Amino acid sequence: MYFYVMLPNTSLCCCRAVVTSINLQATPFFMMLMLSELLIGWAKTGSLVIRINDGITSLSAGVMSRLSNLFARGLELSCYVYVWNNYRLVELPWDSPWTWWLTFLGVDLGYYWLHRLSHEVNILWAAHQVHHSSEDYNLSTALRQSVTQQLSSWLFYLPMALAVPPSVFAVHIQFNLLYQFWIHTELVGNLGPLEWIINTPSHHRVHHGRNPYCIDKNYGGTLIIWDRIFGTFSPESDKVIYGLTHPINTFEILSVQFSYYVYLWERFWSSPSTTDKLSVIFKGPGWEPGKPRLGCHSDLPEVTGEEAPHNPEWPLALQVYVTLHFFLLLGVYDDIFAMKAMLSPAFLLLMTGYIMSTLTALGFIIEKRPGAAVLEMLRCVLFLLFHKSGYVRHLIPMLSVPTEVGERLQV
């Protein structure tokens, strides 16, 4: 599934089963592949290819992006099902290989235009820039996803709902996203003839670059042919410098997710005319009065190839502490998703607040902010209360002992 190596007869016969279980199956493989990348990268280069501060931030963004699924089915699928139920023109057979291949191409073409316009329309870029905010390029970067991306992504797949059954669409939207996980790595080089057809790590490295030749290039999801057809393709050449043209220089997850909206709001209100205000929202991120719709590449900061990522020093003890508590949080996170059908909306909302407070506190610790100690103390007290009430359990059973000691000291 990760590499989209699924034939119609093996995937269509179990559409609903695949869609239901795919997210539950994915997390252990994500972790296993990231660990493999870490070990292989260390063996090849003698250094870690995933920095703790950047990697935890990327994983935190991935956790946040899925929290809305605790309360409702994804917006993409909900809107798709609504159009299918009320407006479909024809009903393609769900078990036909022709339907499978048509959906494969349709989803990938829809993703190309979603991705392209997410770079060319400022309000859409406000969501998508989260994914580009990392100055590293590794498998953890693939999980750095926006909370708000799905508010617009559903629009680009609706034409398919006039003919393609929702179960088939749901399989392909999952496969398309899963495929894009493995291309976020520097450990895979040129893949020869495959580079002409499919999206590869080399092509996607260009997409994540801020070098002039990388800007607004290589939008494809699974296939690179759309970029070749529509004139947005660029091969990898000079050393790629990753990240935003104006780096955000923060690891605090709320800032990563929402700071661009604040910037956009300020630009909107400071624009003198209604036309300029609308242009700020619907033209490109680089647009200014008197400039082309997408702005001018000449206005971007110069890239010398010597740029170093934002990497403030922080004690090893804090690095161990943040890593440990993040993976303990993943245990809580997986438990909640596994049992969400049996949990009340009020409890799910409460646990969402706890997860958000944990991710925020860990970001504060990474940046050594003044309020980090107080916020983390309050979060730990909250965890002890949840644990005492039986609402959460430890990912590592042996840690229940010190937790119970802490609960007794608290009392």
Side-chain angles (χ1 to χ4, degrees):
M1 293 181 189
Y2 275 115
F3 300 99
Y4 222 131
V5 186
M6 298 290 291
L7 296 176
N9 61 343
T10 58
S11 59
L12 290 177
C13 64
C14 56
C15 283
R16 286 181 173 82
V18 170
V19 173
T20 301
S21 63
I22 200 166
N23 284 324
L24 295 177
Q25 295 176 22
T27 301
F29 284 96
F30 286 151
M31 296 303 171
M32 181 183 70
L33 289 172
M34 282 188 285
L35 179 60
S36 299
E37 182 187 40
L38 199 64
L39 295 175
I40 294 171
W42 179 77
K44 289 182 67 174
T45 66
S47 60
L48 298 179
V49 297
I50 302 177
R51 293 180 293 142
I52 291 176
N53 46 19
D54 187 82
I56 293 293
T57 303
S58 293
L59 296 177
S60 296
V63 168
M64 279 189 66
S65 70
R66 286 195 63 210
L67 288 178
S68 61
N69 293 339
L70 287 172
F71 304 95
R73 180 169 51 187
L75 191 59
E76 283 176 345
L77 190 56
S78 297
C79 294
Y80 191 98
V81 169
Y82 176 81
V83 173
W84 165 263
N85 287 337
N86 294 280
Y87 301 106
R88 67 178 180 267
L89 302 178
V90 295
E91 184 171 341
L92 296 178
W94 70 270
D95 56 350
S96 167
W98 289 104
T99 303
W100 193 95
W101 289 111
L102 178 65
T103 309
F104 165 72
L105 292 173
V107 165
D108 206 54
L109 179 59
Y111 178 83
Y112 170 86
W113 283 107
L114 161 64
H115 198 181
R116 180 170 175 172
L117 291 181
S118 292
H119 282 255
E120 296 184 355
V121 177
N122 214 5
I123 188 65
L124 301 183
W125 173 246
H128 188 61
Q129 60 83 31
V130 174
H131 182 60
H132 284 265
S133 61
S134 174
E135 294 178 271
D136 293 342
Y137 191 75
N138 51 60
L139 293 178
S140 74
T141 310
L143 303 180
R144 186 180 285 227
Q145 299 294 327
S146 168
V147 172
T148 56
Q149 184 81 62
Q150 67 168 314
L151 297 179
S152 58
S153 60
W154 58 275
L155 284 166
F156 294 84
Y157 303 110
L158 286 189
M160 296 176 58
L162 300 176
V164 177
S167 58
V168 183
F169 165 76
V171 167
H172 282 276
I173 200 71
Q174 295 284 350
F175 284 174
N176 190 278
L177 292 176
L178 275 181
Y179 175 88
Q180 294 177 54
F181 176 75
W182 78 275
I183 62 177
H184 290 81
T185 183
E186 293 188 287
L187 298 183
V188 178
N190 189 286
L191 296 180
L194 292 177
E195 303 280 341
W196 284 93
I197 303 170
I198 65 172
N199 196 10
T200 64
S202 176
H203 295 328
H204 206 59
R205 285 193 288 269
V206 171
H207 179 71
H208 273 259
R210 50 177 153 143
N211 313 55
Y213 84 93
C214 299
I215 302 298
D216 298 335
K217 299 296 182 182
N218 299 2
Y219 297 113
T222 302
L223 301 174
I224 202 65
I225 60 172
W226 311 118
D227 289 282
R228 296 183 183 277
I229 292 170
F230 296 114
T232 54
F233 174 74
S234 178
E236 186 176 19
S237 56
D238 298 337
K239 175 187 175 183
V240 178
I241 303 300
Y242 303 107
L244 301 170
T245 56
H246 299 84
I248 56 174
N249 294 334
T250 183
F251 299 108
E252 196 280 299
I253 192 60
L254 294 180
S255 297
V256 171
Q257 289 281 0
F258 302 114
S259 62
Y260 196 87
Y261 286 102
V262 176
Y263 163 75
L264 199 60
W265 179 261
E266 292 171 349
R267 277 196 65 189
F268 177 84
W269 283 111
S270 63
S271 298
S273 67
T274 301
T275 301
D276 285 349
K277 290 181 187 297
L278 293 175
S279 295
V280 166
I281 299 297
F282 296 109
K283 291 187 178 180
W287 176 85
E288 292 178 352
K291 299 288 178 67
R293 180 177 68 88
L294 300 181
C296 297
H297 286 188
S298 58
D299 294 336
L300 298 176
E302 181 184 3
V303 175
T304 65
E306 302 299 324
E307 288 77 5
H310 176 63
N311 193 28
E313 292 186 5
W314 55 311
L316 178 61
L318 287 184
Q319 296 182 41
V320 173
Y321 180 88
V322 166
T323 303
L324 175 63
H325 278 266
F326 179 80
F327 281 98
L328 290 175
L329 176 69
L330 284 185
V332 175
Y333 172 80
D334 283 341
D335 279 350
I336 293 171
F337 268 90
M339 301 186 297
K340 68 176 183 178
M342 299 178 287
L343 302 175
S344 69
F347 179 74
L348 290 175
L349 190 62
L350 181 66
M351 294 311 297
T352 298
Y354 169 72
I355 292 172
M356 290 290 296
S357 67
T358 300
L359 298 178
T360 302
L362 296 182
F364 273 42
I365 294 172
I366 291 173
E367 298 197 335
K368 298 186 291 185
R369 293 196 182 185
V374 174
L375 182 60
E376 176 63 3
M377 181 186 68
L378 294 175
R379 184 195 72 83
C380 289
V381 169
L382 185 61
F383 175 84
L384 291 174
L385 291 173
F386 283 157
H387 187 271
K388 187 175 181 65
S389 303
Y391 290 146
V392 298
R393 66 178 179 86
H394 275 301
L395 180 65
I396 305 173
M398 68 178 64
L399 290 178
S400 294
V401 175
T403 300
E404 289 170 7
V405 171
E407 289 169 359
R408 294 178 186 277
L409 291 176
Q410 182 187 17
V411 174

